[in-house]
Amino acid sequence: MLTGHDVDLCVIGAGPAGALLADACAARGVHTLLVESGPRLDRADRPRQQRRFLTLGESAWPRDPARDVFTNASSFGYSLNINRVRAVGGTTLHWIGMTPRLRESDFRTATQFGLGVDWPLQYAELEPYYVRAEREMGVSGAQGPHDPWRSAPYPMEPFPDSFSDGLWRRAAAALGVELSTMPVAKNNARTYDGRPPCTTFATCPICPGGAQYSADWHAFKAERSGHCEILPGTTARRIELDASGRVRVVHASARDGSPHEIRARVVVLAASAVETARLLLLSRVGNQDMAGRHLMEHWKVAASGVSEERDYPRRIGFPTLTAYHAYEGEGRGERGAVRMLFPDPDDPLESLGREPGLWGRAMARRDCERFGHLRRVEVSVEHLPNPDSRVTLDPAVQDCFGDPAPRLQFVLGDRDHRTLEAGRSALRAMMDAARLGDVRIGDAFYGGAHLMGTCRMSRREEEGVADPDARVHGTRNLYLAGSALFPTGGAVNPTLTIAALSLRLADHLLQQLAAPPRG
């Protein structure tokens, strides 16, 4: 049975980009439909999910391999679905809440460093929306020595250092490096916007109490306004334009294949960098040569070493520090940005450093000796935009609806490899300053699950997919939200910038929707 929907605003994707946008517009009385490919989850189930995550190591989130199929044509492996969550709330259901801002130079890398492209807006234009995003999400933080300027303080004070942070502060001081506190969307010591304070379980990918922000918070808030309907379990498959470039209808399907037709005065695609590009390609809408191009990630390299001091991973606070000393430093015109992070071991058992052949009492003695002595540091590096790094439609593999699967191809150029090597050099220096033993620095790199740039903003239609207001070039009422819009990605987590761009778009759309509809 065909189900029809007629609304003022249709937002496709209920992650942070879509949920914040839907809430901002619904709060002003805009009749909004929030369409999400994945299910709607019950927050009351979080403690059980956390227990299964901790005891069994399994993902707490529903998986749908037939719907989420993808292929990878890169020269190295990439697992898209390990960290991707398709559900109301999106991937903020499974993150650790880091919310740094892009730096001023990230918006003008071509002008300042001769790399990449400049954004069609500058930091100063987005700064008020960064403030709003921090307030909406509830961010705890403090202005660091190398942080961009800000017009208002963080909503909450920063979290205190963890036990192991002390080691890195001493090492950084020996190098003459000033560290910053990482801003996080976690409630520090008090209730914020109805969410409880953090009790530092340090199991942040799954926060059992709701102290860490996730975008379902805004999705449900929009729904409670009475002006937003959430349509879960429904995948947008095609966008149909009329001759004037206006969206005539969005064709979508429930998981069982039953169709939906959605008509709206304004349609916004907020379905991740991969799925937004894929939907434009499937629909043959927008600049088809540019859609999907300039796929970017934040690549990471890790180092480990053994400290004489004993720590208790994930039991005494959580890591709070970051360093920007290599972000804009020496040789910046020949490489991307580098940021340093100081995480705990991914798994407390990782600190055991178990060796092959050990068993029984020998293993027990080794465990007692090694547990709590492993230290990790990693760098997150910028992936410069490259037109050959892209999302396309796979001609041979289909999803559960019979549509071509997204085909990812990451390409790293010479400057990207120089960026990785600059990151390794920074790791070596920090590990030496910390005086750790058995130091190991990874040769391999891995993704940070920060996909960006497939439908970038541009002033000229031939250079991108959307204009500076996020409207798809060549259309009248189709807009984009999310990291697909990023012309460059810097080396910082993208979520706060996603949120700021969505709030900026909301202001623009509220002006558009205040006008009477045209024929």
Side-chain angles (χ1 to χ4, degrees):
M1 182 180 70
L2 183 70
T3 304
H5 305 268
D6 289 277
V7 294
D8 293 325
L9 172 64
C10 172
V11 181
I12 297 170
L20 278 158
L21 177 66
D23 176 61
C25 292
R28 296 282 294 274
V30 174
H31 185 198
T32 302
L33 180 67
L34 184 56
V35 181
E36 169 54 48
S37 181
R40 174 188 184 123
L41 303 176
D42 187 350
R43 275 185 164 273
D45 201 33
R46 290 287 170 84
R48 184 193 66 82
Q49 292 171 317
Q50 183 210 36
R51 287 193 297 271
R52 293 187 67 83
F53 175 70
L54 289 175
T55 57
L56 301 178
E58 69 175 23
S59 172
W61 314 110
R63 302 295 189 190
D64 190 339
R67 181 198 60 196
D68 301 339
V69 63
F70 76 99
T71 59
N72 177 33
S74 310
S75 61
F76 50 87
Y78 189 82
S79 299
L80 175 64
N81 290 327
I82 286 180
N83 291 305
R84 178 166 70 160
V85 181
R86 294 179 79 167
V88 175
T91 303
T92 55
L93 295 171
H94 188 91
W95 70 322
I96 55 176
M98 292 184 179
T99 49
R101 300 179 176 195
L102 283 173
R103 316 182 80 67
E104 291 177 85
S105 62
D106 289 324
F107 292 87
R108 46 190 175 87
T109 57
T111 296
Q112 189 159 340
F113 306 118
L115 297 173
V117 295
D118 290 348
W119 286 50
L121 67 156
Q122 296 303 306
Y123 176 83
E125 297 173 64
L126 199 58
E127 200 280 336
Y129 294 102
Y130 273 135
V131 172
R132 282 179 54 185
E134 288 162 348
R135 290 172 178 166
E136 289 289 339
M137 299 172 73
V139 174
S140 299
Q143 181 73 357
H146 303 292
D147 291 345
W149 65 269
R150 52 187 307 116
S151 62
Y154 284 100
M156 287 173 280
E157 294 294 315
F159 282 83
D161 285 1
S162 71
F163 180 85
S164 59
D165 285 341
L167 169 72
W168 299 118
R169 285 204 180 273
R170 294 191 297 273
L175 284 175
V177 170
E178 295 181 283
L179 300 181
S180 298
T181 299
M182 173 61 66
V184 288
K186 298 179 174 73
N187 296 345
N188 182 12
R190 66 183 178 92
T191 298
Y192 187 91
D193 196 24
R195 292 185 288 123
C198 177
T199 52
T200 59
F201 272 97
T203 58
C204 301
I206 303 175
C207 178
Q212 179 170 272
Y213 173 80
S214 55
D216 56 336
W217 194 261
H218 275 99
F220 299 148
K221 185 178 176 183
E223 186 179 52
R224 289 194 300 271
S225 74
H227 299 289
C228 178
E229 177 190 353
I230 299 174
L231 184 62
T234 304
T235 301
R237 297 177 57 196
R238 298 292 187 280
I239 298 166
E240 182 181 333
L241 303 182
D242 65 18
S244 72
R246 182 176 293 278
V247 176
R248 193 186 76 81
V249 64
V250 175
H251 298 280
S253 295
R255 184 60 179 85
D256 63 5
S258 57
H260 291 258
E261 285 192 354
I262 302 165
R263 293 174 175 80
R265 292 176 59 191
V266 171
V267 175
V268 179
L269 306 188
S272 84
V274 170
E275 295 300 330
T276 292
R278 179 192 182 209
L279 184 52
L280 290 176
L281 292 170
L282 285 170
S283 305
R284 299 187 178 276
V285 169
N287 184 338
Q288 291 291 284
D289 180 59
M290 292 296 288
R293 291 192 186 271
H294 305 104
L295 172 66
M296 298 177 289
E297 245 281 22
H298 287 143
W299 304 110
K300 293 188 175 185
V301 178
S304 66
V306 177
S307 171
E308 292 183 2
E309 293 181 280
R310 171 165 283 180
D311 190 4
Y312 292 90
R314 300 182 186 271
R315 286 180 58 187
I316 308 176
F318 51 77
T320 66
L321 301 177
T322 188
Y324 293 95
H325 62 290
Y327 205 92
E328 298 166 345
E330 183 179 353
R332 186 63 174 84
E334 291 300 318
R335 63 163 177 84
V338 175
R339 180 176 60 118
M340 188 170 288
L341 298 160
F342 303 90
D344 279 334
D346 289 337
D347 183 333
L349 294 180
E350 182 185 339
S351 67
L352 300 177
R354 286 178 169 157
E355 297 179 359
L358 288 182
W359 191 249
R361 290 179 179 175
M363 178 185 285
R365 283 193 299 271
R366 175 71 169 175
D367 289 355
C368 289
E369 292 169 0
R370 293 285 296 232
F371 180 76
H373 290 284
L374 186 75
R375 299 290 186 272
R376 284 186 80 231
V377 61
E378 67 181 18
V379 287
S380 174
V381 309
E382 180 175 20
H383 183 188
L384 295 167
N386 184 325
D388 295 326
S389 187
R390 62 190 301 192
V391 174
T392 56
L393 301 178
D394 193 296
V397 179
Q398 297 178 337
D399 67 8
C400 60
F401 301 110
D403 292 328
R407 181 176 184 262
L408 280 58
Q409 180 171 326
F410 292 102
V411 176
L412 278 69
D414 290 342
R415 286 174 171 169
D416 296 309
H417 288 289
R418 282 197 286 272
T419 309
L420 288 165
E421 191 50 46
R424 292 187 183 97
S425 295
L427 290 173
R428 289 187 193 99
M430 187 62 70
M431 300 299 275
D432 288 344
R435 299 182 178 180
L436 301 180
D438 193 20
V439 172
R440 303 179 186 185
I441 297 174
D443 293 325
F445 58 88
Y446 53 96
H450 300 160
L451 298 173
M452 304 164 285
T454 57
C455 301
R456 71 184 186 188
M457 292 187 289
S458 65
R459 296 191 183 279
R460 300 172 59 186
E461 182 171 355
E462 62 270 24
E463 294 177 350
V465 176
D467 68 16
D469 291 324
R471 181 179 56 84
V472 174
H473 288 301
T475 72
R476 296 176 62 187
N477 65 335
L478 179 62
Y479 292 79
L480 306 182
S483 60
L485 289 167
F486 289 18
T488 58
V492 301
N493 309 63
T495 306
L496 191 74
T497 302
I498 290 170
L501 288 172
S502 284
L503 294 172
R504 178 176 179 265
L505 176 58
D507 279 359
H508 177 74
L509 294 183
L510 286 168
Q511 294 178 7
Q512 301 293 310
L513 292 166
R518 298 179 180 179

